[in-house]
């Protein structure tokens, strides 16, 4: 069942006539206090791990400032050391909104018994709402394809990452490859950026991370962890070789606690839908590269990821 879901073209997951950043009628919310703000002392924004904290805070600082200026409510960034930190914070009701990976959203949905809700997701330059997992090796490693990784060391990015763990494992099993026996050694690097660095430093032979899958591979694609590292001068793509790509994965959603007021959710939808045109540099920074903006999504768009996480948990219990 899950294999069939993953193979479906991603537009099939989208709701009927979702609003998009490209719609002419989309306008940035007018600045001013909101009624929902009276029940919230501050807007608490979660930041997933996978990048060093100072860079995350730097990228999201103007975004936080814009939220404060627009809704006249203090906003605070909460950077987590890994994906689990944001998932757990949603469960403890310590966050109001966060840009989640699809797997992290599914984890939060399961942990809160459906207590989180997706609002919008990123739309790529070609109109799709998907990205890919890519497996990387050093360009001088001599490894040119997945078969060359037999018996080698593989770095996963994060146990709650779709592209950095869940989807590669699921996809390799579809190809008849058991990650538990195919690789000689596996481990978690602590994030996407850290996984790529671990390969460059020869701590692992390969790593998986996320990329838009569009644009020039030599530039780190149009968007993603690789593009961000290239722009920061942490890596040159000539140092790396992409040896494997997954099927398309639906982009992760801007996620809020479901119990928050509907007016708050609508303001957050409009804020993000209008952000690329109203404040393009802030949009580019938080999305780690360019794209077409955002598109509305619903919980049904991510049901397959919830099912996949349930399956992974069941298989893990059987192995243990």
């Amino acid at each position: 069942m899950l294999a069939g879901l993953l193979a479906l073209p991603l537009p099939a997951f989208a709701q009927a006539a979702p609003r998009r950043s490209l719609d002419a009628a989309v306008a940035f919310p007018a600045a001013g206090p909101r009624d929902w703000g009276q029940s919230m002392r501050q807007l608490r924004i979660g930041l997933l791990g996978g990048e060093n904290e100072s860079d995350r805070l730097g990228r999201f600082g103007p975004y936080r400032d814009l939220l404060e200026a627009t809704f006249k409510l203090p906003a605070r960034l909460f950077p987590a050391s890994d994906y689990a930190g944001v998932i757990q914070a949603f469960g403890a009701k310590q966050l109001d909104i966060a840009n989640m990976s699809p797997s992290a959203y599914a984890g939060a949905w399961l942990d809160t018994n459906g207590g989180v809700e997706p609002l919008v997701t990123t739309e790529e330059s070609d109109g799709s709402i998907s990205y890919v997992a890519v497996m990387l090796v050093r360009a001088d490693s001599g490894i040119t394809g997945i078969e060359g990784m037999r018996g080698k060391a593989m770095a996963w990015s994060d146990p709650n990452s779709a592209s950095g763990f869940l989807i590669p494992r699921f996809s390799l099993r579809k190809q008849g490859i058991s990650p538990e026996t195919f690789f000689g050694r596996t481990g978690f690097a602590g994030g996407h950026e850290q996984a790529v660095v671990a390969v460059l430093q020869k701590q692992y032979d390969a790593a998986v991370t996320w990329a838009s899958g569009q644009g020039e591979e030599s530039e780190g694609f149009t968007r993603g962890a690789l593009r961000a590292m290239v722009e920061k001068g942490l890596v040159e793509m000539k140092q790396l070789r992409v040896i494997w790509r997954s099927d398309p994965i639906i982009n992760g959603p801007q996620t809020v606690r479901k119990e928050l007021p509907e007016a708050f959710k609508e303001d957050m939808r409009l804020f993000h839908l209008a952000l690329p045109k109203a404040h393009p540099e802030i949009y580019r920074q938080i999305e780690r590269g360019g794209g077409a903006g955002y598109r509305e999504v619903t919980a049904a768009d991510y049901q397959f990821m919830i099912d996949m996480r349930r399956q992974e948990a069941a298989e893990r219990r059987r192995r243990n």
Side-chain angles (χ1 to χ4, degrees):
M1 176 182 176
L2 291 178
L5 282 171
L6 190 62
L8 285 173
L10 285 209
F13 292 117
Q15 69 183 72
R19 288 179 293 182
R20 306 166 63 207
S21 292
L22 296 178
D23 294 344
V26 167
F28 198 76
R34 303 297 202 266
D35 289 342
W36 52 258
Q38 296 176 12
S39 61
M40 299 171 68
R41 290 179 296 177
Q42 61 180 351
L43 180 58
R44 300 168 298 179
I45 307 160
L47 303 181
L48 290 177
E51 179 187 26
N52 74 75
E53 186 170 313
S54 63
D55 285 351
R56 274 183 291 162
L57 292 174
R59 286 195 301 112
F60 279 87
Y63 170 78
R64 175 204 58 211
D65 295 344
L66 182 60
L67 282 164
E68 284 189 343
T70 303
F71 300 113
K72 308 304 178 184
L73 185 75
R76 183 178 174 188
L77 301 174
F78 289 86
S81 60
D82 55 20
Y83 284 29
V86 173
I87 294 172
Q88 293 163 3
F90 266 123
K93 300 184 179 182
Q94 295 172 341
L95 292 178
D96 303 308
I97 188 169
N99 189 3
M100 304 287 272
S101 79
S103 179
Y105 162 80
W109 192 96
L110 290 167
D111 279 6
T112 62
N113 295 313
V116 294
E117 181 177 339
L119 300 181
V120 298
T121 195
T122 306
E123 185 170 321
E124 304 296 344
S125 300
D126 67 350
S128 69
I129 53 171
S130 64
Y131 68 111
V132 294
V134 294
M135 186 180 298
L136 305 159
V137 297
R138 294 184 308 279
D140 62 0
S141 67
I143 300 171
T144 58
I146 188 66
E147 184 57 35
M149 279 300 297
R150 186 181 295 275
K152 303 292 187 179
M154 163 62 66
W156 308 120
S157 295
D158 187 288
N160 288 296
S161 169
S163 60
F165 182 61
L166 187 66
I167 292 297
R169 284 166 55 85
F170 176 75
S171 299
L172 290 173
R173 285 172 181 152
K174 282 175 58 183
Q175 295 177 227
I177 296 173
S178 170
E180 289 79 16
T181 58
F182 182 79
F183 300 117
R185 175 171 62 92
T186 63
F188 290 106
H192 289 272
E193 192 172 280
Q194 296 93 323
V196 176
V197 170
V199 170
L200 292 174
Q201 294 180 346
K202 300 185 179 182
Q203 297 168 347
Y204 289 89
D205 297 293
V208 281
T209 188
W210 74 280
S212 66
Q214 300 182 27
E216 296 297 327
E217 182 178 312
S218 61
E219 298 174 1
F221 303 96
T222 58
R223 198 173 69 87
L226 293 171
R227 179 60 177 250
M229 294 182 73
V230 168
E231 291 185 350
K232 290 190 288 187
L234 296 178
V235 66
E236 294 182 19
M237 287 301 294
K238 64 183 181 181
Q239 299 173 274
L240 299 167
R241 177 183 297 123
V242 175
I243 63 167
W244 177 88
R245 296 191 192 193
S246 72
D247 290 336
I249 309 164
I250 188 171
N251 284 327
Q254 288 284 347
T255 302
V256 297
R257 286 190 291 118
K258 190 172 183 178
E259 66 182 5
L260 292 173
E262 291 301 318
F264 167 79
K265 298 173 190 176
E266 179 63 5
D267 271 329
M268 292 301 107
R269 288 189 192 96
L270 291 174
F271 178 93
H272 289 92
L273 287 171
L275 184 64
K277 287 186 284 189
H279 300 276
E281 182 56 26
I282 292 177
Y283 161 71
R284 197 190 72 80
Q285 285 295 326
I286 67 173
E287 287 296 326
R288 294 188 180 184
Y294 296 102
R295 184 190 301 184
E296 286 183 300
V297 287
T298 68
D301 298 333
Y302 295 91
Q303 186 60 49
F304 78 102
M305 188 62 69
I306 293 170
D307 294 341
M308 198 178 295
R309 285 202 62 141
R310 282 191 176 123
Q311 183 186 76
E312 178 73 21
E315 290 177 353
R316 186 164 56 248
R317 288 193 295 270
R318 284 196 294 271
R319 290 196 299 270
N320 292 337

